[in-house]
Amino acid sequence: MTASNMQRPALLKKLSSAANRLVHSFSLYVVPAALVLLSVLTLYALDSHYPLTHGQRIPVRLLSESQTPYTPDTALAALKTTTATAAAPATSPSWFLVDLPASSELDSAALDIPSRLTQTLTCWNANTLSPLGSADRTQSSGSLLLHKMGFAITLGQLSGSASLLCHITFIESTTLSVELWRMADLRDAGSRFDRGIGLLEGGLLTISLFVLIIAITNREWIYLLLAAWLIGNLRLGAFALGWDSQWLGQDIPPSWMPLIRQVTVAAYYLLTYTLLTQLFGGGRQMYFPRLLSAAQWAGLALLAGAFLLPYSSFQPLMWATCGFGVLVAILLLSRSVYRTRSRIWLWHIVTLSMSLCVMLSGTFLIVFGRTDFIDTFNGVIALLLSNVMVALAVAERMREDRKERVRAQTELVSSYAITPIGMFTLNSDGVFERINPVLEQMLGFSLEAKTVRWTDYFSSQDWAALAEKTKAGEEVEIGLLPSAVKPGLPQHFVVRVALASGHVEGSLQDITARTETINQLRRMADNDPLTDVLNRRGIEKALDASVQRLASGEPCALAYVNLDHYKRINSLFGHMSGDEVLQQVCQRIKSALVNDEHVGRIGGDEFIILFPNTTITQAREAATKVVSDLNSTALYVGGRAFQIKSAIGIIEVTNNMDPKEMISAASRACREARKQHQDIVVYEQDSNELQEHTEELRLFDELEGGDSPRGLYLEMQPIMSMKNPLQTLNFEVLLRVRNSAGVLAPSGKIIAAAEESGTITIIDKWVFSATLEWLDKHEHRLGKTELVSINLSGVSLNDDKFIDAFFAILARYEHLANRLCVEITEGVALQDLNRTRIFMRRLQKMGAFIALDDFGAGYTSFSYIKELPADAIKIDGALIKDMMANETNTAIIRTIVELARNLGMKSIAEWAEDCATLRALQEMGVDYVQGFVISKAKSPAEILNANTLADLIDDEDVLEFIREITAENRDEDNRHQPRRQTPANWF
């Protein structure tokens, strides 16, 4: 077979599949969407075959006939003395006179009397008293016609200005109105009315028949009730719209109508009540039982009144009963919405609410008559839509019921299949006397073959105690004896027993699958799914157990392992390769350990090794082997070699540590190992490093708990102006920390640890708030202080919550903003230029200044500096410290100073430690200098007590240097009016 012949069936299969998808999509999506779209376009863009037409309301003179009947001529005389109105209340019988407007089109016009309560009508030409015809509900003659549910009078026999005299009778009192129509419009209105009747009657009867079929086929008799309720909707709608004198196209005798209408209202009330209670009461607690009982009795009273009372007496009873029923229904529906929130429940509530609205609307129309704005066709559509919603609710309930039945059946089958019950009877010697087939299958034996004892399969039990636990509803789990375990048979059971006449009657329920699932879940809860080593939860449980054993003198150590360059593997070769590397790393760690050590993973490339019952020396030896195995040989994934380097920090666990502290201390030791480029760093129990870490944790706990941090305080290091050193007293705020013993702790380590733990934002917030509070309190004593520098951590600047809190604090002390200079490390500023630029401009808008700290420390790209709106550049102290012995540093500093000057920024040099450096910086044009040669950090009290910067300087050479600067600038100072330097002049 050629290649083309082999490819042909595959091509035909693809074409067939594509054709199937095309037909399916066309039928399921295109056709329904097109039908909806075309229907909408048809309704709004095309002319209606049944247009909505209107007649002209004609004033009418009305005369109610008293006990003495009128003749046409006496009635005409009496009517001429009355006033014409657009509509008038009428009783039966009555006379009315209509004055027709002068028109040449009366030959093609007609009068419509739209009252559905009209019983008979006889008319004369009022000018000649010649008869025009008569009509009743069964027939008409002359110019009178039956039109819709009222009567119409053709005007072809009249010409010019004419008047019409009529005698009319009603089934009951009503409102009389007369409308003048063109004959063509009258015929269109009749057609529209007839179409609406057919649409409503056919639609609702179809829905009712559909629901009736559902009731019969499913034997759900609530749907039979629903079908009857829909017919009640149909009759109520017909009553409201004026054609209830027909049923299935047949005329109902007019004399029957009063009774039929009253019975219709009463029956609909009772149907609604029954449907409401059946839908919402099946299997659910019905609320407000007394109100429901009252509503039920009210409905029975209404039904009795329909047969016994005339309409005039029935109407008040109808209003009171229906109003009470609606209030009860609203109360029940509101309660149901609040207490139950299932989809089918909401369907029923929505649909019944709509139907209640239809019932109310129909009642209003019955009592007050139709108004001009209610069109027959629109009313039909509203009724049909409300009943379609009911049908949808029925379908939804059927679906939910079927789903519930399937769920119950599935649950039942699963219950028997998954948890079969074995029954047994033991005699007083513990011998099985009777067992059911399920238990025979469970344990794999038959009583017909041999005598079997309980203790052949299970351990001995205290049957009396077990019976008490069964009686109390407690589950007792037992397992097979190891000697009785067989492959494929259950191993774990729940036993329930009862004591009867010296025998034990009991049951065994197989829970092997459940027990294994629980054990697996426990394992998953404590183990990392990728590497199958302990996760953080499992590690903490193991640490807790080791700490408890410390009390008995059992030593313990904890190691923290970190991998270098793992993130690079993930980013370059994908997470699948990274996951394989982690799995191989864990295997190497496990293979390097020989005792009962626990290995856990707490991060992407961070692992924990717990050494129970191990001294710190033994732990170091084991860790040395681990790091050697990890670092010596490459890992291979898919033919690619990965060389992993790792560092380990080890701590000796003590009684006063909790798991969080242990992991944190070991992590600190690991970071120290990486900084020192060592494989292992060990913190023993009494080491200074471990004590420092304990103090750090104490400080962080106080800060996170909102307490005032003990041992945290501020100092200020003066900053000298190289131009006017004695006219300003500026300084930088520095953080200082003392431990619980009062010994000064290294601030750099505290800050680094705080950045690692995320607590640095709290420290920065405290420093900033405390500084502004101190400045505000002593502002009157700081007349020469025009600049106060404060450092912000990069972690804080990338924290939106901190930024919001920072500006909120600054807003409280906005009058001090023009003295504030915020120092941002250059490396942090360049990480996100846009974010940094927004922060700087927001700060400068409030009057503060910005300095780029540690400029030239290794991140510098001079092209970035013009993108940042900084006010000053603070040169990295490492460059300043060695500048006199390193010409390269001197050249870099000179370049930075020149750059700052060209960009309109000030330059600040820190770490100046001798007078020679001071003079060299002056020669380069540096604006401000800070360092030990000027002054070490001073306490706030010393700053307040100083009159000028000279009061804080101890070096005589520096004082001489200051006098030289002052002498050089004296002539210039004399030429200008002395004035206080302002922050605006400073920057």
Side-chain angles (χ1 to χ4, degrees):
M1 184 179 290
T2 64
S4 61
N5 290 333
M6 295 176 63
Q7 293 177 356
R8 189 173 302 160
L11 179 61
L12 292 175
K13 186 176 180 180
K14 290 182 179 180
L15 290 174
S16 177
S17 176
N20 288 336
R21 289 196 302 271
L22 179 62
V23 171
H24 180 268
S25 299
F26 178 80
S27 303
L28 188 60
Y29 302 111
V30 176
V31 172
L35 289 175
V36 173
L37 181 61
L38 290 175
S39 298
V40 172
L41 292 175
T42 299
L43 289 174
Y44 286 95
L46 302 181
D47 295 332
S48 174
H49 187 71
Y50 302 95
L52 179 62
T53 53
H54 298 280
Q56 176 186 352
R57 183 68 62 87
I58 302 298
V60 61
R61 303 171 188 264
L62 183 65
L63 175 65
S64 295
E65 194 169 33
S66 60
Q67 295 181 354
T68 302
Y70 287 93
T71 61
D73 53 346
T74 57
L76 179 61
L79 283 168
K80 289 183 178 181
T81 63
T82 62
T83 304
T85 58
T91 59
S92 180
S94 294
W95 291 82
F96 68 88
L97 177 66
V98 178
D99 295 321
L100 299 175
S103 173
S104 59
E105 299 181 357
L106 288 180
D107 291 343
S108 60
L111 286 182
D112 182 30
I113 303 174
S115 175
R116 57 186 172 78
L117 299 177
T118 304
Q119 190 171 15
T120 64
L121 180 66
T122 304
C123 295
W124 294 265
N125 185 331
N127 295 333
T128 63
L129 290 182
S130 58
L132 297 178
S134 61
D136 56 25
R137 286 294 175 182
T138 60
Q139 61 184 353
S140 63
S141 63
S143 299
L144 272 65
L145 303 171
L146 292 172
H147 177 68
K148 294 196 288 189
M149 297 313 296
F151 296 96
I153 307 167
T154 60
L155 303 179
Q157 299 181 18
L158 303 176
S159 60
S161 178
S163 297
L164 200 66
L165 174 66
C166 294
H167 181 263
I168 189 168
T169 62
F170 304 99
I171 297 174
E172 59 189 54
S173 300
T174 184
T175 300
L176 178 66
S177 62
V178 177
E179 298 176 355
L180 179 63
W181 287 71
R182 294 174 57 249
M183 283 299 298
D185 292 342
L186 191 68
R187 283 191 294 270
D188 289 343
S191 299
R192 184 180 179 87
F193 181 82
D194 293 338
R195 179 174 180 258
I197 292 175
L199 182 63
L200 180 60
E201 190 170 44
L204 286 185
L205 287 176
T206 301
I207 296 173
S208 301
L209 182 60
F210 169 74
V211 176
L212 179 61
I213 293 172
I214 291 174
I216 295 173
T217 55
N218 292 277
R219 285 178 168 75
E220 292 284 350
W221 304 118
I222 189 174
Y223 299 138
L224 178 61
L225 175 65
L226 185 60
W229 185 76
L230 290 172
I231 298 298
N233 264 350
L234 172 61
R235 294 304 300 168
L236 193 68
F239 191 4
L241 296 174
W243 53 272
D244 61 324
S245 60
Q246 296 180 7
W247 175 243
L248 301 179
Q250 306 300 313
D251 291 322
I252 300 174
S255 59
W256 297 7
M257 292 311 302
L259 177 61
I260 289 177
R261 286 168 178 162
Q262 292 180 186
V263 172
T264 297
V265 173
Y268 187 82
Y269 176 94
L270 290 174
L271 282 170
T272 302
Y273 169 85
T274 308
L275 184 65
L276 184 71
T277 53
Q278 287 292 318
L279 283 178
F280 294 159
R284 297 180 175 90
Q285 176 186 359
M286 288 303 296
Y287 304 104
F288 315 111
R290 293 184 179 178
L291 278 177
L292 286 175
S293 179
Q296 184 183 50
W297 283 105
L300 293 174
L302 186 65
L303 181 62
F307 287 99
L308 301 176
L309 298 177
Y311 184 75
S312 58
S313 301
F314 177 77
Q315 184 177 2
L317 177 62
M318 179 189 70
W319 271 109
T321 304
C322 292
F324 175 69
V326 168
L327 291 177
V328 172
I330 292 173
L331 188 61
L332 286 175
L333 294 178
S334 301
R335 178 78 173 184
S336 299
V337 170
Y338 177 74
R339 295 296 297 267
T340 310
R341 295 177 176 85
S342 71
R343 183 171 62 174
I344 184 172
W345 196 251
L346 290 178
W347 263 109
H348 291 323
I349 289 170
V350 169
T351 53
L352 286 179
S353 299
M354 290 182 61
S355 301
L356 286 174
C357 292
V358 171
M359 183 181 72
L360 283 175
S361 302
T363 304
F364 276 106
L365 290 172
I366 291 168
V367 175
F368 297 109
R370 289 193 304 125
T371 57
D372 291 337
F373 66 87
I374 297 178
D375 177 66
T376 301
F377 186 72
N378 295 333
V380 167
I381 295 300
L383 283 168
L384 276 176
L385 287 179
S386 67
N387 288 277
V388 167
M389 292 291 289
V390 174
L392 290 175
V394 171
E396 178 66 14
R397 170 157 180 158
M398 289 177 59
R399 193 190 71 82
E400 288 290 337
D401 288 348
R402 185 167 56 253
K403 181 179 178 182
E404 180 63 22
R405 285 196 298 269
V406 171
R407 186 200 63 77
Q409 292 170 0
T410 303
E411 183 178 351
L412 185 61
V413 172
S414 300
S415 178
Y416 279 105
I418 298 175
T419 57
I421 305 296
M423 309 299 296
F424 64 88
T425 301
L426 300 176
N427 64 19
S428 58
D429 295 328
V431 177
F432 284 101
E433 290 189 345
R434 290 186 298 274
I435 60 175
N436 67 346
V438 174
L439 188 58
E440 287 184 347
Q441 186 178 1
M442 281 182 180
L443 301 182
F445 72 88
S446 174
L447 291 182
E448 296 179 358
K450 60 179 179 178
T451 299
V452 181
R453 294 180 177 274
W454 174 267
T455 52
D456 293 340
Y457 289 88
F458 304 99
S459 60
S460 298
Q461 299 291 326
D462 183 347
W463 297 113
L466 187 55
E468 288 297 324
K469 291 182 178 179
T470 300
K471 188 176 181 180
E474 298 181 26
E475 278 194 355
V476 178
E477 297 183 15
I478 60 173
L480 285 176
L481 294 173
S483 59
V485 173
K486 299 178 182 178
L489 294 181
Q491 300 181 26
H492 302 278
F493 304 87
V494 169
V495 59
R496 299 178 179 87
V497 300
L499 303 181
S501 302
H503 289 71
V504 178
E505 301 287 346
S507 68
L508 287 173
Q509 178 182 347
D510 177 15
I511 60 167
T512 302
R514 186 181 79 180
T515 303
E516 292 177 353
T517 300
I518 291 174
N519 291 336
Q520 181 66 21
L521 290 174
R522 288 172 178 167
R523 178 174 177 81
M524 291 173 61
D526 293 339
N527 285 67
D528 176 48
L530 174 64
T531 59
D532 199 32
V533 299
L534 296 176
N535 57 19
R536 182 177 286 273
R537 182 175 180 271
I539 292 168
E540 291 180 353
K541 289 172 64 176
L543 289 173
D544 285 333
S546 297
V547 170
Q548 292 176 4
R549 292 194 293 268
L550 283 174
S552 61
E554 182 179 301
C556 180
L558 181 69
Y560 191 101
V561 184
N562 182 247
L563 308 179
D564 284 342
H565 310 309
Y566 172 73
K567 293 180 180 178
R568 186 180 303 170
I569 295 175
N570 263 342
S571 60
L572 292 178
F573 303 102
H575 288 283
M576 293 185 65
S577 297
D579 291 347
E580 179 66 26
V581 167
L582 291 178
Q583 291 170 349
Q584 293 190 30
V585 166
C586 288
Q587 290 300 322
R588 284 200 180 183
I589 294 176
K590 289 179 179 179
S591 63
L593 302 171
V594 294
N595 296 320
D596 297 328
E597 297 88 353
H598 301 287
V599 181
R601 179 186 177 208
I602 62 171
D605 56 355
E606 297 164 330
F607 303 88
I608 286 291
I609 306 174
L610 177 63
F611 298 94
N613 197 20
T614 305
T615 64
I616 192 68
T617 302
Q618 294 170 333
R620 179 196 287 269
E621 294 174 358
T624 301
K625 187 175 187 312
V626 169
V627 77
S628 174
D629 285 0
L630 288 176
N631 295 349
S632 60
T633 308
L635 302 172
Y636 290 89
V637 178
R640 184 179 288 109
F642 296 101
Q643 188 66 48
I644 296 293
K645 295 296 181 182
S646 60
I648 299 181
I650 308 175
I651 65 163
E652 187 174 7
V653 177
T654 61
N655 286 322
N656 58 350
M657 288 183 172
D658 60 26
K660 180 180 177 182
E661 292 176 350
M662 298 177 200
I663 296 174
S664 178
S667 173
R668 187 178 193 267
C670 183
R671 289 198 307 272
E672 193 67 26
R674 298 184 66 177
K675 288 179 182 178
Q676 298 176 9
H677 303 289
Q678 297 182 16
D679 290 338
I680 299 175
V681 166
V682 178
Y683 288 172
E684 297 186 7
Q685 183 171 348
D686 298 325
S687 64
N688 291 332
E689 292 85 358
L690 204 55
Q691 292 177 4
E692 287 177 1
H693 183 68
T694 302
E695 288 296 328
E696 292 169 3
L697 293 179
R698 175 195 62 78
L699 174 63
F700 298 157
D701 287 341
E702 290 177 355
L703 288 169
E704 291 177 346
D707 299 330
S708 178
R710 292 176 294 144
L712 226 64
Y713 64 97
L714 301 178
E715 287 188 343
M716 289 85 173
Q717 185 175 24
I719 301 174
M720 185 180 77
S721 168
M722 298 293 279
K723 183 176 181 181
N724 298 301
L726 298 181
Q727 293 183 10
T728 59
L729 185 55
N730 304 316
F731 53 84
E732 179 182 1
V733 177
L734 302 175
L735 176 68
R736 296 290 182 259
V737 184
R738 293 188 185 277
N739 60 24
S740 55
V743 179
L744 189 65
S747 299
K749 289 186 176 181
I750 295 291
I751 292 173
E755 289 180 337
E756 289 283 343
S757 66
T759 319
I760 190 64
T761 57
I762 304 176
I763 293 178
D764 279 349
K765 183 179 176 181
W766 180 84
V767 170
F768 184 63
S769 179
T771 300
L772 290 179
E773 184 178 349
W774 181 81
L775 290 173
D776 183 62
K777 182 177 180 180
H778 302 288
E779 185 177 11
H780 62 285
R781 299 180 60 184
L782 297 170
K784 291 188 177 182
T785 299
E786 297 173 346
L787 175 70
V788 179
S789 291
I790 296 180
N791 286 279
L792 288 184
S793 163
V795 175
S796 297
L797 288 174
N798 289 315
D799 189 323
D800 291 333
K801 291 184 178 179
F802 172 82
I803 296 297
D804 293 340
F806 175 87
F807 282 104
I809 295 170
L810 185 58
R812 293 202 301 268
Y813 299 97
E814 194 167 1
H815 61 287
L816 299 173
N818 59 359
R819 297 190 181 199
L820 190 66
C821 179
V822 177
E823 296 185 8
I824 302 175
T825 304
E826 176 203 1
V828 174
L830 298 182
Q831 287 178 7
D832 190 339
L833 278 175
N834 187 54
R835 182 183 180 90
T836 304
R837 190 184 300 113
I838 293 172
F839 174 78
M840 286 181 169
R841 295 199 182 283
R842 186 177 176 185
L843 197 58
Q844 290 169 333
K845 188 176 180 180
M846 296 186 72
F849 304 95
I850 303 290
L852 291 179
D853 196 12
D854 295 340
F855 193 85
Y859 295 92
T860 306
S861 175
F862 287 2
S863 61
Y864 286 142
I865 305 306
K866 63 182 180 181
E867 302 293 333
L868 297 173
D871 301 290
I873 291 177
K874 196 167 188 179
I875 306 169
D876 181 45
L879 296 173
I880 304 298
K881 185 177 180 180
D882 300 328
M883 65 174 289
M884 301 307 295
N886 191 322
E887 294 183 358
T888 301
N889 284 9
T890 302
I892 293 174
I893 295 168
R894 193 181 303 278
T895 302
I896 293 174
V897 172
E898 185 65 25
L899 173 68
R901 185 180 299 112
N902 291 338
L903 294 176
M905 302 179 186
K906 297 296 182 180
S907 55
I908 308 172
E910 57 180 354
W911 291 17
E913 297 184 352
D914 54 61
C915 198
T917 300
L918 201 61
R919 293 183 181 277
L921 293 173
Q922 182 200 26
E923 183 271 330
M924 293 179 187
V926 172
D927 298 298
Y928 293 88
V929 176
Q930 178 182 356
F932 286 172
V933 68
I934 306 297
S935 174
K936 294 184 177 181
K938 300 293 184 181
S939 68
E942 291 176 292
I943 295 293
L944 291 175
N945 292 330
N947 294 320
T948 66
L949 183 63
D951 296 336
L952 303 174
I953 298 175
D954 298 326
D955 192 323
E956 188 61 36
D957 291 339
V958 176
L959 291 173
E960 178 61 29
F961 173 74
I962 291 174
R963 284 192 288 271
E964 291 175 6
I965 294 176
T966 304
E968 290 174 1
N969 295 330
R970 184 175 298 140
D971 292 339
E972 183 178 354
D973 291 341
N974 289 335
R975 285 195 301 270
H976 299 278
Q977 179 66 29
R979 60 186 176 89
R980 177 181 179 274
Q981 187 179 5
T982 64
N985 293 326
W986 194 85
F987 280 148

